[in-house]
Amino acid sequence: MTQTTSEAFSLLQQHAQRLADQSLSGLFRNDPKRASRLTDDVAGLRVDYSRHLLDQDGWDALFAWGEAAGLSAAAERMRSGALINPTEGRPALHSALRHRGCAEANDVAEAVSETGDRLAAIAEKLRAGHWRGATGEIITDFVNIGIGGSDLGPRAVVQALSRPDQQPVRVHFLANIDGAAIDDLLAGLNPAATVFCITSKSFGTRETLTNASSARRWLLDALGEDADMAAHLVAVSANVQRAVDFGVAEENILPMWDWVGGRYSLWSTVGLPIAVALGAEAFESLLAGAAAMDEHFFTAPLADNLPMRLGLLGAWHRNLQGAASYAVVPYANRLGLLPSWLQQLDMESNGKRVALDGAPLPQDSGPLVWGGVGTDGQHAYFQWLHQGTSPTPVEFIGVRDPEHPFDEHHRQLLANLLGQASALLHGRTEAQTREELLAAGRSDEDARRLAPHMTFPGNRPSTIIMLERLDARSLGALLALYEHRVYVQSVLWNSNAFDQWGVELGKTLALAVEGHLSADGAADAESELDSSLAPWIDWLRR
Ligand code: F6P
């Protein structure tokens, strides 16, 4: 008889209680093959999920929860274009941008391939030096103006895969509305040789439109009011009309669609900066890597399905171990923006408080995502990870083959990754610590006094994800793995991973405040001033 989700969850709670008495070190002692048994290779990624306090019975109970929650059916709902974003009445078809089967099943293959061709043509024209500015100069710089999903994905991929000195066209990203950002950027650019790409799904995002207006003004001031803006402005949007109204030539507008969420959109025309920086072929490889992960997600049985396994594991930590956050630590400098990309992906998707039917969620939903590159983090927050009072799962990401000639650096880098994972796992007892202090020549009294401070509790979980190499294909698979994991968790929590109403209120209030801050201030402002803000408005207008 199949279990209900609450029955499966209660059983899982019993396993969590049973396992609470065990230790990770003990699990490895009892099963020397544990590490290889709990490591999978999928789409160029090797994932080790042995470092979690779960034995086979525990995993089976997790799989039973996943089955009761209907994870495989949920994957099929995504593939077949069901309305899995019900509050916005849309499917979530980012997989259709890279997975032919999904595109065909949803009748979007033609649109996807046609816009893909247009994207490639623009990118290659720029890269070949055939795109000329209004005064005939070859374009040397391409600036993507966009924020959130219209920035983080392409920015993270370009940082991961391109060598700035090898870009035929330099690619820059402008997101923040802070005037300092555009001021610094423009200082290094030649208007006659710069193309701006205004990337905004809605073409209504204040930051992007303000930056785009200032960029256009800068171009017109430098090149003359009559300069041909078609030579300098490109747009990517699901609202083509708004882009036209802004003044972008229609032939320079690459469409995207409502069925691609902003934070899932780097695979769409939003990926134009990637193709400009790396070439259309590399962009295709990125899509192919993601497609391989899609195929795995749509077809692998639950217990072998990597996004499902990792999704269940994350929910285990959140709902059964009380972890409020997880840290993602790439031991790959070029993956430095991965934590920021993942932060939007995961937190905008699963930072939810109500279920699909609007009822308050009975359990916690998505955790806080944070992190940064190793080894730098080791000299900052790793103290907290090892000895702090809130055990927190860590995701280590590494790359096996370096793409640089500094082999000694790479050996040390990987040794640090593995060493840190082991320290979290095994820790060091107080008795061991005391012995080590004595062996190092410390007095009895010193050893007793210092040992508690130098003890590591261990038993702290981590996952290791290793890419064979940091190339477009593996990166595509990694990013798609995270996307699917986020969806899997929303299914477990019965919430919507594809809307983001939580970002709206602050935006609306900022607009109201803007009126009060303007030159003629309060007289102009239509809205009543919030009394908590009145002293600030007063002070700022002084
Ligand atoms: O922050 C809210 C948000 O709507 C994100 O979901 C989105 O990625 C970002 O703003 C940018 O939106 P747009 O692409 O419409 O400018």
Side-chain angles (χ1 to χ4, degrees):
M1 204 180 73
T2 36
Q3 287 172 338
T4 64
T5 42
S6 54
E7 284 164 354
F9 190 77
S10 308
L11 272 178
L12 200 50
Q13 284 173 315
Q14 290 170 25
H15 283 281
Q17 274 163 16
R18 174 181 63 78
L19 287 160
D21 291 341
Q22 306 218 21
S23 73
L24 273 172
S25 292
L27 293 180
F28 275 90
R29 253 195 319 274
N30 296 338
D31 176 6
K33 292 216 162 53
R34 181 177 171 84
S36 45
R37 206 169 44 74
L38 293 172
T39 295
D40 274 346
D41 289 289
V42 176
L45 310 179
R46 165 160 281 226
V47 182
D48 170 355
Y49 39 77
S50 63
R51 295 146 195 276
H52 299 272
L53 201 53
L54 280 161
D55 55 11
Q56 193 53 52
D57 289 345
W59 270 111
D60 287 344
L62 261 182
F63 295 146
W65 183 33
E67 253 158 45
L71 292 187
S72 301
E76 178 51 27
R77 277 203 300 283
M78 172 183 271
R79 197 194 67 83
S80 65
L83 297 187
I84 55 177
N85 176 359
T87 61
E88 295 179 319
R90 297 170 189 162
L93 287 181
H94 41 283
S95 304
L97 297 164
R98 60 223 184 182
H99 186 268
R100 267 213 85 76
C102 187
E104 269 153 21
N106 292 289
D107 261 352
V108 294
E110 213 180 297
V112 169
S113 117
E114 194 191 306
T115 51
D117 290 348
R118 286 187 59 202
L119 173 147
I122 293 179
E124 291 308 333
K125 188 172 169 188
L126 279 158
R127 286 171 63 81
H130 294 156
W131 188 301
R132 300 297 171 114
T135 58
E137 281 200 43
I138 293 179
I139 296 302
T140 55
D141 293 86
F142 177 93
V143 180
N144 184 70
I145 301 180
I147 198 162
S150 295
D151 167 67
L152 289 165
R155 195 196 283 247
V157 172
V158 168
Q159 176 166 312
L161 300 178
S162 84
R163 310 289 161 267
D165 57 320
Q166 288 167 17
Q167 288 173 5
V169 176
R170 286 183 293 267
V171 174
H172 314 266
F173 292 88
L174 177 62
N176 201 336
I177 202 168
D178 185 344
I182 189 166
D183 199 30
D184 290 352
L185 177 69
L186 296 182
L189 297 177
N190 168 11
T194 301
V195 161
F196 291 93
C197 177
I198 310 162
T199 303
S200 176
K201 181 179 169 185
S202 58
F203 222 86
T205 303
R206 199 94 168 110
E207 290 93 327
T208 300
L209 294 184
T210 301
N211 275 327
S213 298
S214 299
R216 184 179 49 189
R217 176 71 358 246
W218 177 77
L219 288 170
L220 293 171
D221 285 350
L223 304 174
E225 291 297 326
D226 295 333
D228 177 15
M229 283 298 99
H232 295 274
L233 293 181
V234 171
V236 169
S237 186
N239 197 327
V240 173
Q241 190 51 50
R242 279 194 187 161
V244 170
D245 295 345
F246 181 87
V248 183
E250 204 155 353
E251 69 274 15
N252 285 358
I253 302 173
L254 289 175
M256 58 183 291
W257 307 274
D258 271 354
W259 43 261
V260 184
R263 54 194 173 274
Y264 299 87
S265 68
L266 73 95
W267 323 98
S268 71
T269 45
V270 169
L272 179 62
I274 302 174
V276 174
L278 303 165
E281 207 179 310
F283 186 55
E284 281 301 317
S285 299
L286 186 81
L287 300 183
M293 187 55 71
D294 292 333
E295 181 64 15
H296 169 80
F297 178 55
F298 293 144
T299 57
L302 195 157
D304 301 327
N305 194 303
L306 202 51
M308 293 185 192
R309 250 191 197 262
L310 293 187
L312 286 162
L313 199 49
W316 161 263
H317 286 299
R318 184 74 179 114
N319 301 129
L320 293 126
Q321 306 291 310
S325 77
Y326 69 92
V328 54
V329 189
Y331 277 67
N333 212 50
R334 288 174 174 146
L335 288 178
L337 288 174
L338 186 78
S340 306
W341 171 81
L342 187 55
Q343 207 166 48
Q344 187 205 14
L345 177 75
D346 202 336
M347 295 176 76
E348 205 165 79
S349 298
N350 282 336
K352 302 291 164 63
R353 53 177 287 281
V354 296
L356 287 166
D357 64 1
L361 288 179
Q363 80 285 64
D364 285 318
S365 62
L368 162 70
V369 184
W370 59 282
V373 290
T375 59
D376 300 9
Q378 291 177 197
H379 303 274
Y381 48 79
F382 268 60
Q383 163 67 38
W384 184 89
L385 288 172
H386 287 294
Q387 290 189 321
T389 51
S390 308
T392 295
V394 181
E395 276 171 27
F396 292 99
I397 299 174
V399 177
R400 189 189 61 188
D401 303 335
E403 70 292 356
H404 56 71
F406 298 96
D407 287 347
E408 180 52 29
H409 290 241
H410 197 61
R411 219 179 347 267
Q412 289 187 31
L413 181 72
L414 292 183
N416 271 278
L417 184 164
L418 296 174
Q420 292 293 337
S422 255
L424 286 168
L425 191 164
H426 296 294
R428 187 175 62 193
T429 64
E430 197 166 330
Q432 271 174 312
T433 308
R434 226 176 308 152
E435 266 170 42
E436 284 181 26
L437 283 164
L438 291 172
R442 293 298 197 129
S443 68
D444 257 357
E445 202 219 313
D446 268 4
R448 219 183 357 264
R449 184 172 56 83
L450 291 175
H453 300 278
M454 296 169 70
T455 294
F456 291 71
N459 216 23
R460 301 198 164 190
S462 65
T463 305
I464 299 176
I465 302 180
M466 200 70 85
L467 280 61
E468 282 168 26
R469 63 194 68 81
L470 183 52
D471 58 13
R473 206 182 158 91
S474 312
L475 184 60
L478 179 70
L479 302 183
L481 168 64
Y482 278 124
E483 288 180 347
H484 292 319
R485 179 178 78 174
V486 161
Y487 173 52
V488 161
Q489 294 189 330
S490 75
V491 176
L492 293 171
W493 292 321
N494 192 30
S495 60
N496 183 352
F498 302 107
D499 62 8
Q500 59 286 317
W501 302 103
V503 301
E504 296 303 328
L505 180 62
K507 284 191 205 171
T508 315
L509 296 184
L511 269 182
V513 171
E514 227 180 291
H516 291 277
L517 281 176
S518 69
D520 31 11
D524 247 10
E526 281 174 17
S527 62
E528 202 48 23
L529 188 57
D530 171 355
S531 73
S532 72
L533 296 180
W536 280 114
I537 304 289
D538 221 32
W539 187 74
L540 288 167
R541 284 174 43 81
R542 235 180 262 162

